[in-house]
């Protein structure tokens, strides 16, 4: 397998054509925005990487790059924080800083003209994709001296790959795709974005928390496997995308909801699919009955906080919600058992629970590490509610949307809207090699039983 990977990597020849920096078109002046309790735990995560692959448009690559830069200049007038840097105030509290003399967003134009879109669409892992997405292995803390957004535009033989790296300390998935949609809106000809961002983070939480982190070397180191590199002391991971059609999703949801007791609240699509994956991964790991397995979801809290924050709140407004059970119990019961555990944990995370969690963290700040997701975990990030296939810059919708190799660990899932739309969902999962091989043969999981 190693030989196969090395051969694949050799076929991906990416040549850098240019590197520039893009700033808001108009003068903004000096702006500062304190990072809050929802942001700070992520300073030692890695940059959040997304890859969008488009077909066609290769003939006009140079024009498209200029069009994207022009659109970026305009959209950054509203999203100027992405053109800034991380900083600290006089008390050592982290903040986002912007000034007109800062470099702005890094934009690299590159070419991989021997690579076709089809070559990338069949790629299950992230090894071959690394050359297309910037800031591999870069910690968010490095935003003290690096751009908070880096973009790589790569010309393919028959299309274009857009790789983006966002500093996760300043925005979550909701804000990421809100920005991408706004940028695309401008590039399609809009003079201004339809919904400007809500930038007042302190409206969600205003506690000032000092963290004793100053340089990237001070940050807690994550496991080597979390980023696909390092000393390889952890079991090797593999990634795989499992595509569930509308029909499959409906079957999963129907099965989980088939034995509801009177008065019980139906399980959502998310809860149904989550327990389907949780049970299957637990089977694949061949855990002992007494082994604990944890389910973690990074949940949007915009509507959970009091007062609620608007959808256009720009920043992190997520919490990791944890629950778990013994592997034997999870597998011995029908799927509604796991779904009920997940549903209960999510519904219990109301404004009071959020305030309590924040207060606890503020009294004893802890920088998140991937191992904090829980033992034998299945952890869900991203959301099929994000309209990732609607990100059209003027030459059509993407053929594929992927996560990069950053922020991966054993049991990490990214859920995406399926390309076919409707209720279809893509499950992008990272697992220890042996477990993933078993999962790939699990007919019940694959909906082939």
């Amino acid at each position: 397998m190693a030989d196969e990977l090395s051969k694949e990597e050799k076929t991906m020849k990416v040549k850098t054509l240019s590197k520039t920096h893009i700033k808001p078109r108009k003068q903004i002046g000096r702006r500062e925005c304190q990072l809050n309790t929802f942001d700070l735990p992520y300073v030692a995560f890695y940059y959040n990487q997304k890859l969008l692959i488009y077909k066609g448009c290769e003939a006009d690559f140079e024009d498209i790059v200029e069009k994207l830069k022009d659109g970026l200049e305009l959209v950054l007038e509203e999203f100027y924080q992405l053109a800034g840097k991380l900083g600290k105030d006089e008390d050592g509290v982290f903040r986002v800083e912007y000034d007109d003399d800062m470099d702005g967003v890094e934009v690299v134009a590159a070419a991989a003209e021997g690579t076709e879109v089809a070559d990338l669409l069949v790629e299950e892992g992230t090894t071959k994709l690394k050359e297309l997405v910037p800031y591999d292995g870069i910690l968010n803390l490095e935003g003290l001296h690096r751009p908070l957004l880096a973009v790589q535009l790569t010309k393919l033989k028959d299309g274009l790959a857009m790789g983006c790296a966002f500093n996760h300390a300043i925005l979550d998935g909701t804000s990421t795709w809100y920005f991408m949609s706004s940028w695309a809106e401008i590039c399609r000809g809009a003079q201004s974005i339809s919904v400007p961002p809500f930038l007042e983070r302190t409206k969600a939480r205003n506690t000032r928390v000092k963290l004793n982190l100053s340089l990237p070397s001070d940050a807690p180191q994550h496991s080597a496997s979390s980023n696909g590199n390092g000393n390889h002391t952890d079991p090797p991971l593999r990634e795989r995308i499992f595509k569930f059609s509308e029909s499959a999703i409906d079957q999963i949801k129907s099965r989980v909801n088939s034995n509801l007791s009177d008065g019980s609240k139906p399980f959502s699509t998310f809860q149904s699919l989550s327990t389907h994956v949780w049970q299957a991964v637990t089977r694949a790991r061949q855990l002992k009955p007494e082994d604990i397995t944890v389910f973690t979801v990074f949940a949007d809290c915009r509507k959970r906080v009091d007062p609620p924050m608007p959808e256009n709140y720009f920043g992190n407004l997520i919490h990791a919600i944890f629950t778990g059970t013994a592997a034997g119990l999870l597998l011995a019961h029908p799927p509604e058992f796991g779904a009920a555990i997940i549903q209960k944990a999510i519904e219990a995370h109301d404004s009071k629970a959020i305030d309590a969690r924040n207060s606890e963290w503020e009294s004893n700040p802890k920088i998140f590490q991937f191992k904090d997701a829980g033992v034998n975990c299945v952890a869900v990030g991203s959301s099929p509610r994000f309209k990732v296939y609607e990100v059209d810059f003027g030459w059509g919708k993407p053929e594929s949307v992927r996560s990069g190799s950053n922020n991966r660990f054993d049991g990490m899932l990214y859920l995406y809207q399926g390309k076919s739309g409707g209720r279809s969902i893509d499950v992008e999962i990272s697992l220890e090699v042996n477990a993933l091989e078993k999962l790939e043969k699990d007919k019940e999981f694959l909906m082939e039983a």
Side-chain angles (χ1 to χ4, degrees):
M1 182 178 288
D3 289 339
E4 291 175 14
L5 286 175
S6 63
K7 287 176 185 175
E8 286 182 0
E9 287 177 315
K10 288 174 185 174
T11 63
M12 173 73 91
K13 294 181 179 179
V14 179
K15 178 183 178 183
T16 298
L17 304 176
S18 66
K19 179 178 177 180
T20 56
H21 288 83
I22 302 298
K23 298 193 284 189
R25 184 168 296 178
K26 70 179 182 184
Q27 296 284 299
I28 302 289
R30 176 76 179 180
R31 302 289 179 93
E32 298 169 351
C33 184
Q34 172 189 317
L35 296 186
N36 66 24
T37 308
F38 292 99
D39 299 308
L40 292 171
Y42 300 100
V43 295
F45 269 43
Y46 294 91
Y47 273 67
N48 198 12
Q49 299 172 307
K50 300 300 174 188
L51 177 65
L52 294 84
I53 301 167
Y54 294 89
K55 196 167 178 63
C57 69
E58 71 284 347
D60 304 315
F61 180 73
E62 289 79 11
D63 291 341
I64 282 174
V65 169
E66 291 309 310
K67 180 180 178 180
L68 287 167
K69 288 179 181 179
D70 289 345
L72 190 56
E73 285 182 352
L74 279 176
V75 80
L76 287 174
E77 291 180 5
E78 299 283 358
F79 293 91
Y80 58 83
Q81 291 182 0
L82 283 170
K85 295 270 175 54
L86 292 184
K88 291 183 178 182
D89 64 19
E90 61 278 2
D91 296 323
V93 176
F94 276 94
R95 64 189 181 189
V96 188
E97 300 175 346
Y98 176 80
D99 214 327
D100 293 326
D101 62 0
M102 289 183 175
D103 289 339
V105 173
E106 179 182 302
V107 178
V108 170
E113 297 189 57
T115 300
E116 297 182 2
V117 169
D119 299 330
L120 303 179
L121 297 186
V122 298
E123 182 69 18
E124 294 286 1
T126 58
T127 304
K128 191 173 181 178
L129 307 179
K130 280 186 178 183
E131 300 293 324
L132 302 174
V133 190
Y135 286 14
D136 196 57
I138 302 298
L139 288 166
N140 294 319
L141 191 60
E142 295 193 40
L144 289 164
H145 58 81
R146 286 180 183 266
L148 301 180
L149 168 60
V151 179
Q152 180 176 320
L153 306 168
T154 305
K155 181 181 181 181
L156 306 174
K157 187 174 182 179
D158 58 348
L160 177 145
M162 174 184 283
C164 301
F166 294 86
N167 191 298
H168 203 340
I170 74 159
L171 81 170
D172 58 16
T174 297
S175 292
T176 294
W177 293 108
Y178 164 40
F179 166 77
M180 293 296 288
S181 298
S182 299
W183 183 13
E185 185 180 11
I186 293 292
C187 289
R188 289 197 308 272
Q191 296 303 304
S192 61
I193 62 175
S194 52
V195 183
F198 181 85
L199 298 172
E200 300 178 65
R201 295 167 190 256
T202 53
K203 296 289 186 183
R205 193 77 177 178
N206 198 21
T207 310
R208 292 171 55 76
V209 182
K210 179 180 179 180
L211 297 179
N212 293 317
L213 295 171
S214 56
L215 296 171
S217 59
D218 296 333
Q221 292 301 301
H222 300 162
S223 70
S225 60
S226 68
N227 228 40
N229 48 32
N231 57 19
H232 304 289
T233 56
D234 295 309
L237 299 183
R238 265 186 62 209
E239 299 91 23
R240 173 75 194 267
I241 299 176
F242 296 95
K243 297 178 183 292
F244 291 90
S245 66
E246 259 194 1
S247 173
I249 292 295
D250 289 346
Q251 289 179 56
I252 291 168
K253 187 174 182 179
S254 176
R255 187 178 68 169
V256 176
N257 282 286
S258 62
N259 295 309
L260 289 179
S261 56
D262 291 343
S264 297
K265 183 176 180 180
F267 298 112
S268 67
T269 297
F270 173 81
Q271 292 157 6
S272 302
L273 179 60
S274 292
T275 194
H276 181 75
V277 176
W278 191 16
Q279 282 190 317
V281 169
T282 302
R283 282 195 300 271
R285 284 172 166 161
Q286 298 184 315
L287 302 178
K288 297 175 183 176
E290 65 273 19
D291 287 342
I292 296 298
T293 173
V294 171
F295 181 87
T296 305
V297 56
F298 291 89
D300 184 8
C301 294
R302 283 165 176 77
K303 294 291 180 277
R304 296 174 185 271
V305 292
D306 185 19
M309 291 291 109
E311 279 299 303
N312 59 329
Y313 176 97
F314 187 76
N316 286 291
L317 204 45
I318 54 175
H319 260 181
I321 300 175
F322 306 93
T323 190
T325 187
L329 285 174
L330 182 66
L331 297 182
H333 285 85
E336 57 264 32
F337 174 80
I341 293 173
I342 295 169
Q343 184 185 68
K344 181 180 178 182
I346 292 173
E347 292 187 347
H349 206 72
D350 56 14
S351 61
K352 289 184 179 179
I354 291 169
D355 284 343
R357 169 85 71 83
N358 285 340
S359 296
E360 179 185 5
W361 189 89
E362 288 158 1
S363 66
N364 183 27
K366 181 179 181 181
I367 302 304
F368 288 169
Q369 298 184 60
F370 292 113
K371 63 182 176 61
D372 297 325
V375 63
N376 300 317
C377 79
V378 170
V380 181
S382 194
S383 169
R385 291 195 303 272
F386 299 155
K387 304 299 183 185
V388 300
Y389 284 100
E390 301 298 315
V391 181
D392 178 357
F393 290 89
W395 56 81
K397 298 177 181 181
E399 296 294 314
S400 179
V401 178
R402 298 287 305 273
S403 298
S405 57
N406 284 352
N407 299 322
R408 291 183 180 272
F409 57 94
D410 185 19
M412 185 68 209
L413 267 68
Y414 291 99
L415 301 184
Y416 288 110
Q417 170 192 43
K419 185 175 187 296
S420 58
R423 296 179 299 281
S424 62
I425 296 175
D426 292 348
V427 178
E428 192 177 70
I429 186 168
S430 299
L431 277 180
E432 186 271 320
V433 171
N434 292 333
L436 187 60
E437 288 177 356
K438 292 181 176 63
L439 190 66
E440 289 172 325
K441 299 173 184 175
D442 186 335
K443 291 187 177 181
E444 183 179 350
F445 170 67
L446 300 172
M447 300 300 291
E448 296 174 357

